[in-house]
Amino acid sequence: MNIAAVVKDLSISQNSFYMIKEFNKLIDNTDISVGAFFQRSAIPPIDTLFGCKMASFINGYEGVLIATSLELAEMCLRSTNKTKQYLYVWDMDWLENAVYFESAMKIMRSKDIEILARSKSHAVCIENFCNRSPVGIVDNWDIETILEIVK
């Protein structure tokens, strides 16, 4: 099984730290390959023990993709690969930045992408925003929870 996160960058942030920490736990598991695709190059907060590539390589990827923003989810939805896609709502983009509602709804309501929430309170906000319930709640990139959901 292949699982990859799609992030803006791997710079010092809570999101990057937890994602790298949890993905590093799978380094000895030969049945699961983890990786990350990023838009901008940055120095990660801790060492990555898995492959990291520019987002331009997504079209050649097969497996599970977990996007971390509306913009990245849209990029994944436009890709021409064989993937199972998720949007992990770590930060609620629509509360932090101006987003075009119609575009956001097209992504959030797409049947080609499942939504993961960071917490129960995030799940409530997501449901109120797009009238769609997340398929799971994943606290701080908990890899065991992710594996249960994507299998």
Side-chain angles (χ1 to χ4, degrees):
M1 171 186 280
N2 297 325
I3 301 173
V6 184
V7 296
K8 289 179 184 172
D9 58 47
L10 292 170
S11 64
I12 297 174
S13 69
Q14 227 182 1
N15 187 16
S16 294
F17 173 78
Y18 284 114
M19 187 270 295
I20 295 167
K21 180 178 147 263
E22 291 297 312
F23 278 23
N24 281 347
K25 289 180 180 179
L26 295 178
I27 191 66
D28 293 327
N29 188 332
T30 57
D31 295 330
I32 302 169
S33 174
V34 293
F37 292 98
F38 55 86
Q39 284 185 315
R40 295 182 304 257
S41 182
I43 298 171
I46 58 176
D47 291 335
T48 58
L49 304 177
F50 51 86
C52 301
K53 297 180 183 179
M54 291 293 295
S56 58
F57 289 97
I58 284 180
N59 279 334
Y61 179 79
E62 290 185 13
V64 174
L65 279 177
I66 305 172
T68 55
S69 72
L70 288 172
E71 174 190 358
L72 296 170
E74 182 180 30
M75 180 183 68
C76 292
L77 288 168
R78 284 187 278 131
S79 65
T80 57
N81 53 10
K82 187 176 177 184
T83 58
K84 186 171 182 181
Q85 299 178 5
Y86 293 86
L87 169 58
Y88 185 17
V89 182
W90 182 271
D91 293 319
M92 289 176 258
D93 297 346
W94 58 93
L95 296 179
E96 295 180 359
N97 305 304
V99 296
Y100 185 55
F101 184 75
E102 190 174 326
S103 297
M105 288 304 101
K106 186 176 179 183
I107 295 163
M108 300 286 286
R109 292 179 180 167
S110 172
K111 293 178 183 174
D112 296 325
I113 197 163
E114 298 290 344
I115 300 173
L116 302 172
R118 182 178 179 186
S119 65
K120 289 180 183 179
S121 61
H122 275 206
V124 170
C125 288
I126 292 165
E127 192 168 353
N128 286 337
F129 180 66
C130 67
N131 200 26
R132 185 172 176 206
S133 298
V135 295
I137 295 172
V138 180
D139 182 39
N140 293 328
W141 284 93
D142 181 62
I143 198 63
E144 297 300 324
T145 305
I146 290 173
L147 292 175
E148 287 175 19
I149 293 169
V150 303
K151 284 188 177 182

